[in-house]
């Protein structure tokens, strides 16, 4: 994946990214459900891991996130899915929020300027709105058909990814059906990261 600098804060006044941390958001982005998965992903070269444990209580997610942060220890960024509060308590690098989670502006208020706030988006308009609201990067997809998560939107394809990555001026994490056979195309379309689950686990 290409390295992408963050867009100017003058363009998105509510977003105050830490440039050094944001610059590390590139390459393989592994979505993990356990410390063992995180350890394997980091050993394999993942630049970022997102802790996503949907069914567990908050205390269990916090325990897992703290273990993953300790495992990563400067080797990879760690983001927590959904829960900005748990990301903060775990000492993670940031949070990734979706439609049913805290809005980006509220996550930003909680995490402050130094930590990362990512937001799930399906269109260029949603991506721009997420940055205006306080996100410093976006997840965009699904790029290809995926069986990992049931979605109500069709695949966005490489052309959709190219449009968003070329227009946004901020890192785009591509997600959805990405495999070893397609990851190079995703990189060429301008994504800063390729988020994967089934392709590596």
């Amino acid at each position: 994946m290409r390295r992408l600098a963050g867009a100017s804060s003058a363009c998105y006044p509510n977003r105050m990214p830490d440039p050094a941390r944001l610059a590390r958001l590139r390459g393989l982005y592994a979505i993990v459900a356990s410390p063992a998965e995180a350890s394997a992903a980091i050993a394999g070269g993942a630049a970022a891991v997102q802790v996503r444990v949907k069914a567990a209580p908050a205390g269990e997610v916090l325990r897992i996130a703290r273990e993953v942060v300790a495992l990563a220890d400067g080797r990879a960024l760690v983001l927590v899915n959904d829960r900005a509060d748990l990301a903060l308590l775990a000492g993670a690098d940031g949070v990734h929020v979706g439609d049913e989670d805290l809005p980006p502006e509220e996550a930003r208020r909680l995490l402050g300027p130094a930590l990362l706030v990512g937001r799930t988006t399906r269109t260029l308009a949603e991506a721009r709105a997420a940055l205006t609201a306080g996100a410093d990067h976006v997840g965009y997809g699904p790029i290809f058909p995926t069986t990992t998560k049931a979605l109500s939107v069709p695949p966005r394809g490489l052309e959709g990814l190219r449009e968003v990555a070329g227009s946004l001026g901020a890192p785009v994490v591509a997600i959805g059906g990405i495999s070893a056979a397609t990851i190079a195309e995703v990189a060429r379309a301008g994504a800063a990261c390729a988020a994967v689950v089934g392709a590596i686990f």
Side-chain angles (χ1 to χ4, degrees), residues 108-136:
R108 175 62 68 202
R109 286 181 61 193
L110 184 60
L111 296 183
L115 300 185
L116 300 177
V117 175
R119 174 70 160 87
T120 297
T121 62
R122 310 293 181 202
T123 66
L124 177 57
E126 287 181 2
R128 285 174 168 156
L131 296 182
T132 301
D136 48 58

Side-chain angles (χ1 to χ4, degrees), residues 27-47:
L28 191 66
Y29 182 115
I31 298 177
V32 305
S34 69
E37 288 184 351
S39 180
I42 294 166

